Amino acid sequence: MTTLPRPASVSGFSALGLAPKLIASVTALGYEEPTPIQREAIPLLREGHDLIGLAGTGTGKTAAFTLPMLNRLAMHTTRQPAGARGLVLVPTRELAMQVSEAIHKYAKGLPLTVVPLYGGAPMDQQIRALRRGADIVVATPGRALDHLRRQTLDLSGLEVLVLDEADEMLDMGFADDIDTIITQTPDTRQTALFAVTMAPRIAAITGKHLRNPRRVTIAHEKRAAGKLPRIRQTAYIVGRAQKMTALGRVLDFENPKSAIVFCRTRIEVDELADTLSAHGFGAQALHGGMEQKQRDRVMQLFRKEQAEILVATDVAARGLDIKHVSHVINYDVPTSPEVYVHRIGRTGRIGRDGIAITLAHPREHSFLRSVEALTRQKIDVLPLPSLADLRARRLEATREQLREQLTNGGFEDARTIVEALAQEFDVFDVAAAAVTLVHHAAESTMPAAEIESAAAHDRSRERGRGGDRERPHAATSRTRTTEHAAPMAVLFVGAGKAAGIRPGDLVGAITGEAGVPGHALGAITITETHSLVEVPAARADSILTALRATKIRGQRVTVRHDRG
Ligand code: AMP
């Protein structure tokens, strides 16, 4: 029996000298250890240094600047009326919302308020929020300047300033706005700047506004990659909302014998393993919060190939000696190129080619480039396999199965049927009909809809000044129809997490009661109060009727078409 590394701890975070409340909040979020940028940046920021962080989206940089900022602001909470004590400048409205939500999450339990300010939203609402008191403001430069001019934002008592995605803010022409904003802050402030690379214009802005800054970087571009085994590396660019569906498609397409799917948090691991199982994959969760006995059991199942997918955090997978992994799938981009190399090193062992697949958000392109620089190997950024690709792959698999069966023999009984049919039909036709039957059986589990590629969304990213600089929130959505894809409908189920509903309950009810295979279902979203399930539109009504006539988790629930 294997002994896995001890459940890790939050000690990683404790060692960074953060207040217990902050450690509690990252634990509650399911984080197992600090990411590389957090490990390096947090102690420096906590000691009061100015900082240049060279790290892009996906590295955990938001927590890297937020946790020490909260740590500092929470130490003395006597708030000056109306003055912001922390300011985070970000390039887009979308980021302002995201970062503000993230700060809110990390600040849970602390008496600190966060207010996002971005263009396109009503001014008076923002003014009211500022008047109520905003310890931390997350703003796009244009809108921050608007508020400064109207004197609805006061930065005279600012303690911490963060310039997030500074290179993008400069690309968008915000340099002067940033300068003007900074003149309204005290010299005593602490300043942190995050950018992807140390371009000359970044050097200029840090020279002007940062004092004796320390520099941390997560892309050690010069370090040798070590010997990577032969690994085919692919990345698919997908929006957050489609990730689960994309993972299902990738797993359908690759049909891995043994895969590790890496996620970041314990919570994500549990949810993903649950959802995959509900969709009919043999998936098991592995994370540092599990008892040793449970983890041993999971590893046994995986080693004996009774579970083909292990969904794991980096911490839990560390030190595992697994010899037969055919695929490593990064459900989330790893937190540094080194972690990426470490993860994918688990495949392609014993002289076999391995396959590494990464699902990346459009904003995480720069991460893929840092990995290429580190490994000096190419990552192919490809469109997600289409339904036609999947069909072709399955046909190929059928051919392989037949070839194996023909080599192994043992089909004497079937021969008599062929002989009988051959009296009546051409023997080639008999064989072709048999192949079609086998293939149709495989096709019955085909997903019903195409998935929209997020690459187009990426290309359309707005740059440059002028016009509406702050893009509206670009929600990615699933394509409803394509030439050969069935349209999908969304069903509302009036019970959610609070009622103990898990993906398996919904899929179980639909497959069991309406006879629709799990693979035909799309995304499943479960909130506290309700759930949403994507189903093939053509079957939606029969699924509705079937679900209304049954109980889910022992209770009758409302089921209807989702009205959005
Ligand atoms: P960011 O690079 O700040 O946009 O963060 C990317 C993602 O990583 C977010 O979804 C965070 O919730 C997550 N994250 C940040 N720090 C950690 C950590 N220490 N462990 C696991 N996930 C993390």
Side-chain angles (χ1 to χ4, degrees):
M1 194 137 294
T2 23
T3 310
L4 302 177
R6 277 185 49 68
S9 51
V10 275
S11 70
F13 278 102
S14 314
L16 303 178
L18 295 166
K21 276 213 168 131
L22 292 172
I23 294 175
S25 76
V26 292
T27 311
L29 290 169
Y31 295 3
E32 298 200 318
E33 59 173 7
T35 68
I37 190 80
Q38 291 162 4
R39 198 171 300 122
E40 291 189 44
I42 292 175
L44 290 169
L45 288 169
R46 219 181 41 77
E47 285 161 19
H49 294 286
D50 278 6
L51 183 109
I52 303 172
L54 299 181
T57 304
T59 55
K61 69 178 159 67
T62 314
F65 63 72
T66 300
L67 294 172
M69 174 163 65
L70 295 172
N71 206 67
R72 175 175 173 156
L73 301 187
M75 274 203 278
H76 52 109
T77 51
T78 43
R79 197 190 308 145
Q80 315 280 328
R85 298 168 61 203
L87 171 68
V88 183
L89 290 177
V90 296
T92 62
R93 163 198 163 106
E94 187 187 6
L95 260 181
M97 291 193 272
Q98 263 174 34
V99 169
S100 154
E101 265 167 40
I103 297 180
H104 187 75
K105 241 172 25 182
Y106 298 127
K108 200 162 179 201
L110 295 175
L112 294 170
T113 48
V114 192
V115 170
L117 303 176
Y118 45 80
M123 208 62 186
D124 52 343
Q125 210 172 311
Q126 294 181 349
I127 293 172
R128 276 201 302 278
L130 287 168
R131 276 212 199 105
R132 279 196 296 271
D135 300 285
I136 301 166
V137 168
V138 183
T140 52
R143 194 41 83 101
L145 209 52
D146 267 1
H147 282 283
L148 284 170
R149 291 203 179 109
R150 293 169 184 237
Q151 302 189 328
T152 44
L153 175 65
D154 171 15
L155 296 179
S156 61
L158 193 78
E159 295 177 48
V160 183
L161 169 69
V162 179
L163 305 173
D164 192 15
E165 313 232 337
D167 27 15
E168 193 161 332
M169 287 199 284
L170 296 183
D171 276 355
M172 294 172 78
F174 281 133
D176 293 344
D177 289 1
I178 293 173
D179 284 350
T180 314
I181 293 166
I182 295 182
T183 57
Q184 309 222 7
T185 67
D187 289 344
T188 49
R189 65 165 200 275
Q190 178 183 30
T191 311
L193 172 147
F194 286 82
V196 175
T197 53
M198 195 64 195
R201 55 201 209 298
I202 295 290
I205 193 174
T206 55
K208 205 159 28 164
H209 299 300
L210 274 67
R211 210 170 322 120
N212 188 20
R214 305 298 162 96
R215 192 197 290 198
V216 295
T217 171
I218 58 127
H220 302 284
E221 292 177 12
K222 284 189 219 80
R223 225 186 69 179
K227 278 202 188 68
L228 268 180
R230 281 180 307 176
I231 297 174
R232 171 158 70 79
Q233 297 175 64
T234 305
Y236 299 113
I237 307 294
V238 284
R240 278 197 190 91
Q242 304 161 298
K243 263 173 117 177
M244 181 58 226
T245 324
L247 176 65
R249 172 63 55 84
V250 168
L251 289 172
D252 277 340
F253 185 73
E254 295 286 338
N255 195 13
K257 259 189 133 91
S258 59
I260 304 188
V261 176
F262 280 102
C263 305
R264 292 209 167 166
T265 67
R266 296 175 179 182
I267 295 169
E268 224 174 16
V269 162
D270 280 335
E271 287 182 356
L272 204 57
D274 244 21
T275 310
L276 287 175
S277 307
H279 279 81
F281 294 103
Q284 291 287 333
L286 189 77
H287 60 65
M290 292 162 56
E291 301 260 327
Q292 183 66 40
K293 244 176 43 202
Q294 276 175 299
R295 298 202 281 167
D296 287 338
R297 193 185 63 82
V298 167
M299 285 313 299
Q300 285 262 0
L301 288 173
F302 190 62
R303 286 223 169 80
K304 291 189 180 149
E305 301 191 8
Q306 284 162 356
E308 71 260 24
I309 300 167
L310 193 63
V311 186
T313 55
D314 289 298
V315 170
R318 193 169 297 155
L320 288 184
D321 183 26
I322 305 168
K323 296 237 160 46
H324 66 277
V325 179
S326 62
H327 290 67
V328 165
I329 301 178
N330 297 310
Y331 184 69
D332 285 315
V333 158
T335 51
S336 77
E338 285 77 5
V339 175
Y340 176 93
V341 170
H342 197 250
R343 283 185 181 180
I344 70 166
R346 304 189 162 278
T347 183
R349 291 179 174 184
I350 41 174
R352 279 190 269 173
D353 282 1
I355 295 173
I357 294 170
T358 303
L359 301 184
H361 187 262
R363 295 191 73 89
E364 291 165 347
H365 249 309
S366 69
F367 176 84
L368 300 175
R369 282 195 292 273
S370 327
V371 171
E372 289 183 331
L374 175 68
T375 58
R376 302 204 181 88
Q377 293 188 17
K378 178 118 188 60
I379 300 176
D380 293 317
V381 179
L382 299 178
L384 267 178
S386 65
L387 287 178
D389 296 335
L390 187 54
R391 224 169 255 137
R393 176 64 74 101
R394 293 212 173 152
L395 203 53
E396 182 55 34
T398 304
R399 197 217 313 251
E400 276 312 307
Q401 274 176 331
L402 282 169
R403 192 189 296 274
E404 207 169 299
Q405 182 75 67
L406 285 165
T407 323
N408 293 346
F411 40 80
E412 290 310 314
D413 293 351
R415 269 191 87 96
T416 53
I417 299 179
V418 176
E419 274 160 13
L421 286 168
Q423 310 287 328
E424 225 180 308
F425 301 96
D426 177 72
V427 78
F428 270 102
D429 283 345
V430 174
V435 172
T436 308
L437 271 183
V438 175
H439 184 60
H440 275 176
E443 284 229 305
S444 69
T445 58
M446 283 280 284
E450 285 289 11
I451 305 168
E452 183 194 2
S453 156
H457 156 68
D458 186 32
R459 277 193 298 278
S460 70
R461 276 165 61 78
E462 234 182 13
R463 290 200 173 251
R465 198 160 184 172
D468 177 15
R469 287 174 303 205
E470 293 153 354
R471 277 184 311 128
H473 182 62
T476 38
S477 68
R478 186 177 173 142
T479 311
R480 297 280 129 183
T481 45
T482 62
E483 331 163 52
H484 45 224
M488 300 293 277
V490 179
L491 297 187
F492 171 97
V493 179
K497 277 186 199 156
I501 299 288
R502 297 169 59 149
D505 301 321
L506 299 169
V507 178
I510 295 172
T511 51
E513 301 301 321
V516 174
H519 278 78
L521 304 180
I524 297 175
T525 312
I526 302 182
T527 71
E528 277 305 303
T529 51
H530 68 270
S531 310
L532 300 173
V533 190
E534 274 194 344
V535 301
R539 311 287 298 270
D541 288 332
S542 61
I543 294 173
L544 269 182
T545 315
L547 288 184
R548 283 177 180 152
T550 186
K551 290 183 177 172
I552 302 178
R553 284 237 147 206
Q555 37 190 317
R556 291 223 178 268
V557 292
T558 315
V559 190
R560 55 170 163 77
H561 280 283
D562 181 45
R563 293 192 278 264

